Every structure is written in C-alpha cells, then in structure tokens.
Amino acid sequence: MREIEFKNEIWDLIRLIAIEMDLVFRPIVESHGLTMIQARILAGIQRCELSTVGSVGNAVGLSSGNASTMCKSLEKAGFIRRIRAPEDERFVKLVLTERGKETIGRIGAVFQEKYTPILQEKTDQDFNTIIAGMKKLKELIVEMGRVW
C-alpha cells in the first residue's frame, strides 16, 4: 500500500509542478516569440560551449529527430546558426545569433526582475533541501528504471 500511495503522490506532485512551471514561465517566453521548449534549447546552447543537436536534445529531453526539427525552426527564425564542421559534416555545432543572445538575455532579465524578490526570501537550507530531495527522487527513479 505504501508504494501505491508514494507513486500517486509523486506523480501528482510532478504533474502539478510541471503545470505551475508552465504557468509561471510560458507567458514570459511566449512574449518573446518562443515556446517553452525553444527557450530551453536556447538556454542550453547558451550554457554549453560545444552544443550539438544531440547534446541539446539530450539536455531538454528530445529525440535527435525532434531536436533537429526544432533547431531548424530556431535557425529559420534567426535565433541560432547551425555550423557544420569542415572535417566531418555530420558534426553540427549550434551557436546563438545576436538575436538569440539578446532574446535569452531579455528573458533572463524578466525572470530576475520578477522572481529575485521571492527567491531572496529563501534560505540556503531551503535550496539545499529542495535540491537534495530532487536528487533523491531522480536516484530512485533511475534505480527503478534499471529493473526494466
């Protein structure tokens, strides 16, 4: 019985967190002409020095085909450039264009303006507790996945 209650509680929490994150973040990224996944891709490219379609897809949880399609769309909209390596044309590096950098910068500024006051009220212990709990949950789910 404990396992069923735990599973239901975790599923409900994950679903509710995803819904709330979408409600908080989606209006900001959409006001800049992006979807949530597109914004995550741009942020991933900004974070990684060596971004490829595969690495970005892995970082945001997309298959390589879906990541490639999304990157083509972002390139067409002028947010990124895809650069093929001359020595191996299968290798495609992703870089933010000026438009991409400016857009991610503006989104970050809005996040900071809106949410810094709330986040500053939290203690380091609050953040450490949240992060530790999320890591424990991830470890548990990874362990459960090994059964299959």
Side-chain angles (χ1 to χ4, degrees), residues 74-111:
L74 286 167
E75 183 178 41
K76 185 176 179 181
F79 291 105
I80 67 171
R81 282 186 40 231
R82 296 179 316 149
I83 304 168
R84 293 198 181 275
E87 63 279 358
D88 184 352
E89 295 222 352
R90 294 172 297 174
F91 182 80
V92 180
K93 181 179 177 182
L94 304 173
V95 295
L96 294 177
T97 61
E98 280 306 309
R99 180 179 185 199
K101 290 175 190 175
E102 290 170 5
T103 301
I104 284 297
R106 285 194 307 269
I107 290 170
V110 172
F111 284 169

Side-chain angles (χ1 to χ4, degrees), residues 11-12 33 35 61 63 74 102 117 119 139 141:
W11 282 351
D12 285 346
T35 66
S63 70
L74 286 167
E102 290 170 5
L119 295 174
E139 290 169 8
I141 292 172

Side-chain angles (χ1 to χ4, degrees), residues 9-32:
E9 184 75 16
I10 293 299
W11 282 351
D12 285 346
L13 284 170
I14 289 171
R15 182 180 54 80
L16 291 172
I17 289 168
I19 289 169
E20 291 300 320
M21 285 182 67
D22 192 59
L23 289 173
V24 168
F25 299 129
R26 187 170 31 96
I28 296 169
V29 300
E30 284 183 351
S31 72
H32 290 87

